[in-house]
Amino acid sequence: MDALELLTTRRSNKKLVAPAPNKEQLEQIFQAALRTPDHGKLKPYRFVVIADKGLIKLANALTQVATDLNLDNKQFSKIDKICASPMVIAVVAKLDPKVDKVPEWEQLVAAGCATYGIQLAAQSLGFDNVWITGKWAGGDALRQTLNCTEQEKIVALLLIGTAENEKLERDSKTADTQDFVSYL
């Protein structure tokens, strides 16, 4: 699959099973993430790979967040779905307000680009994934589990694995860009 085909057929998939990327594949994935746009070469992000027993810790943290935020039963039920994924990669933005040259918002965008780099690299290696955040991302229990400092923000929980249904077709529809593009 060439790069343009990857970009135009990428899709999210929540129905994931093992296997997840192995150590060598993760290295390739993270190398791709480190090549995304990054003004000032700050690398304002870090990645936390969550698998095996780590998924139990993640489930405990998400349960605590759901309790703390008084989320409804629908949100609680999502915890099992999230942690049923064979691997989750948390992306944490390391924001430094003291860098005059690169404002915090731009550092956050760089972390988002790195997240997308992970998604595309995983997809190119044959792994499906989905990027989730929601109310979980600001929860104290999750922040503590991921060892977040006060300046850090959780940008994504990327669920990564193999598509449960191999026959899932890529959406090949061409999007209408008219509402999104203008010319000056």
Side-chain angles (χ1 to χ4, degrees):
M1 174 180 310
D2 70 16
L4 190 56
E5 183 181 0
L6 175 65
L7 289 166
T8 58
T9 61
R10 192 210 72 76
R11 60 149 184 351
S12 295
N13 184 359
K14 296 178 185 177
K15 296 181 180 182
L16 305 170
V17 296
N22 62 34
K23 197 169 191 159
E24 292 78 24
Q25 291 165 323
L26 281 173
E27 179 63 23
Q28 290 178 298
I29 288 167
F30 293 133
Q31 285 296 325
L34 294 172
R35 298 292 298 177
T36 57
D38 175 18
H39 183 197
K41 298 179 185 173
L42 299 177
K43 304 283 188 257
Y45 39 75
R46 62 184 178 86
F47 314 118
V48 181
V49 178
I50 306 164
D52 305 318
K53 291 180 183 179
L55 291 167
I56 296 168
K57 292 178 184 177
L58 177 63
N60 291 337
L62 294 177
T63 299
Q64 187 61 53
V65 169
T67 301
D68 292 347
L69 297 176
N70 199 27
L71 299 180
D72 60 25
N73 288 338
K74 183 179 177 184
Q75 294 297 315
F76 268 95
S77 69
K78 289 182 180 182
I79 296 168
D80 290 336
K81 293 176 184 175
I82 292 168
C83 296
S85 176
M87 178 179 286
V88 176
I89 299 176
V91 180
V92 179
K94 302 184 314 182
L95 305 177
D96 187 348
K98 297 176 186 165
V99 179
D100 292 331
K101 180 179 174 184
V102 185
E104 283 185 69
W105 69 265
E106 196 171 344
Q107 295 173 47
L108 191 60
V109 169
C113 288
T115 303
Y116 191 51
I118 290 171
Q119 285 193 289
L120 291 174
Q123 197 84 49
S124 75
L125 291 172
F127 298 102
D128 277 13
N129 56 78
V130 63
W131 177 343
I132 65 169
T133 50
K135 296 177 182 179
W136 315 107
D140 289 337
L142 182 58
R143 291 178 54 74
Q144 289 171 5
T145 299
L146 298 177
N147 297 314
C148 292
T149 66
E150 188 177 321
Q151 289 297 325
E152 292 181 321
K153 290 189 184 298
I154 299 168
V155 174
L157 295 175
L158 290 175
L159 284 54
I160 298 180
T162 301
E164 181 178 74
N165 182 355
E166 292 183 31
K167 294 182 181 180
L168 188 63
E169 299 276 328
R170 296 236 180 254
D171 182 5
S172 60
K173 295 179 197 172
T174 301
D176 183 4
T177 61
Q178 186 175 346
D179 292 338
F180 306 98
V181 180
S182 64
Y183 296 88
L184 187 61

